[in-house]
Amino acid sequence: MGVSKLQLSFAECCGLCYNIRQMNELPKEDLERLMARAYAVKTATWGRRVALRGLVEFSNICTKDCLYCGIRRSNANVTRYRMTEDEIVEAATWAAENRYGSVVLQSGEISSEANTAFVEGVLKRIHGLYGDSLGITLSLGEQTRETYGRWKNAGAHRYLLRIETSNRELYSKIHPKGHSWERRLDCLRTLKNLGYIVGTGVMIGLPGQTEADLENDIRFFRDEDVDMIGMGPYLAHPDTPLAAEAPIQAKGRLLALTLRMIAETRLAIPDANIASTTALQAIDPEGREKGLLAGANVIMPNVTPVKYRKSYLLYPGKPCTGEESELCRSCLERRVKSVGEEIAWGERADPLHSLPSR
Ligand code: 5AD
Ligand code: FES
């Protein structure tokens, strides 16, 4: 789909009253109107429901060195861990038994035969227990086609790999040499080609990022025909090199920008699954609920054992690091109800965008 066909309200106002280089805030009423439009689209396509994915952050060992990430290889202040196969299966079982409908297995990026085989073994066990009734999503970074294929055969069917920013130049500024935007894009296309339901996303408020970049991010999601989108505010981690650069610091501004991105993305891709991310809650105690009202339809509650959670701080101020999964579950149910939504308990909830009939 050509860019000119996009009906983005960003595009409508750019050049008239907003300076695209400065990421000005939308006036409050305009943001509210935009969110209401996006929410109406979300309820029309998906209902007043929220799908859950139990997030298992099973290892923080990472060979990558992204300049913004708290668990980057060079951060010596992190205690490294990897959960055992039994622990991962147990966490996934907890999510399934508590009717979360789907799990996401996430870790730092490792490309080795040992790691591929380890994940393969875990997948076979989880898939063996629940078959296709439990959604299994992976978020394990850039891998070869062969590895992605093995994991798919072992039971995974969705994959999350954020492009981080659709602007190649900005991408190269926030990653060290050797990290390639093109390779990441190639991975996304390979995943799609292998039949995975594919998710991507970006960070919002990166140093040097412009409003035009964010507009292009949404075009990227459309052009790459992705099924799932996860976006969150960039939050400077003090142990990372990028923290020296000035990001958009004001939390209110970051929140408004993120809500605006969620709403614009919902309007651009009505049938995608869009996550209301934990990072949103890090900048506002009600951030995730606001994300739902901006058109998101997925929440990813953490089901990682509490003893590991403080070692998986991609960004500072990550919420729920001290909470047992049980507590998160009831807290979440209350929060979702508070905005008039219901949890789609026990539903695998694949994105409508990925269904063959569309
Ligand atoms: N702030 C916000 N998001 C971050 N991520 C990594 N570091 C940060 C940070 N400092 C996000 C990236 C990555 C995902 C797993 O976490 O987008 O893809
Ligand atoms: Fe790349 Fe963590 S080191 S996202």
Side-chain angles (χ1 to χ4, degrees), residues 3-20 26 30 33-34 37 211 215 219 260 264 267-268:
V3 160
S4 59
K5 296 225 180 93
L6 275 178
Q7 293 298 309
L8 298 178
S9 45
F10 265 161
E12 282 159 26
C13 56
C14 279
L16 292 175
C17 45
Y18 296 101
N19 174 355
I20 58 167
L26 271 184
D30 288 4
R33 213 171 309 127
L34 174 68
R37 264 174 58 209
E211 193 161 308
E215 268 187 61
R219 291 192 180 94
R260 186 173 165 190
E264 296 282 8
L267 293 174

Side-chain angles (χ1 to χ4, degrees), residues 50-51 198 200 315:
V50 184
V198 175
T200 192
Y315 50 84

Side-chain angles (χ1 to χ4, degrees), residues 86-201:
D86 283 350
E87 283 177 317
I88 303 171
V89 174
E90 205 177 300
T93 301
W94 187 92
E97 303 293 318
N98 281 277
R99 299 172 50 233
Y100 277 23
S102 285
V103 288
V104 178
L105 306 184
Q106 188 178 76
S107 77
E109 187 175 309
I110 297 180
S111 303
S112 68
E113 172 51 33
N115 187 62
T116 302
F118 175 79
V119 172
E120 206 172 20
V122 170
L123 288 169
K124 283 187 178 152
R125 275 183 66 185
I126 300 174
H127 192 251
L129 283 171
Y130 298 103
D132 290 339
S133 68
L134 181 74
I136 308 181
T137 307
L138 296 179
S139 175
L140 310 175
E142 296 169 9
Q143 304 288 345
T144 61
R145 184 184 179 92
E146 194 224 335
T147 298
Y148 287 146
R150 276 170 65 182
W151 289 343
K152 181 135 197 308
N153 288 337
H157 68 117
R158 297 193 285 238
Y159 205 101
L160 304 176
L161 182 64
R162 287 191 181 178
I163 192 74
E164 313 298 359
T165 170
S166 60
N167 178 337
R168 287 163 219 229
E169 214 175 292
L170 180 58
Y171 188 94
S172 71
K173 285 189 184 137
I174 62 170
H175 292 96
K177 284 206 170 54
H179 291 38
S180 150
W181 187 91
E182 282 75 16
R183 172 157 153 77
R184 188 152 291 201
L185 176 61
D186 214 47
C187 285
L188 283 170
R189 292 180 175 170
T190 301
L191 288 160
K192 190 116 206 157
N193 187 258
L194 285 169
Y196 276 95
I197 296 173
V198 175
T200 192

Side-chain angles (χ1 to χ4, degrees), residues 68-70 106 162 164 203 233-237 314-315:
Y68 47 84
C69 180
Q106 188 178 76
R162 287 191 181 178
E164 313 298 359
M203 287 179 284
Y234 160 67
L235 299 163
H237 189 299
L314 307 175
Y315 50 84

Side-chain angles (χ1 to χ4, degrees), residues 281-320:
Q281 200 187 327
I283 54 168
D284 181 320
E286 263 120 52
R288 282 199 293 192
E289 293 87 301
K290 290 177 182 166
L292 296 177
L293 295 177
N297 66 326
V298 171
I299 287 184
M300 296 163 65
N302 204 328
V303 298
T304 311
V306 171
K307 65 176 171 183
Y308 297 122
R309 290 195 196 176
K310 288 217 161 29
S311 303
Y312 205 91
L313 295 186
L314 307 175
Y315 50 84
K318 194 170 161 210
C320 307

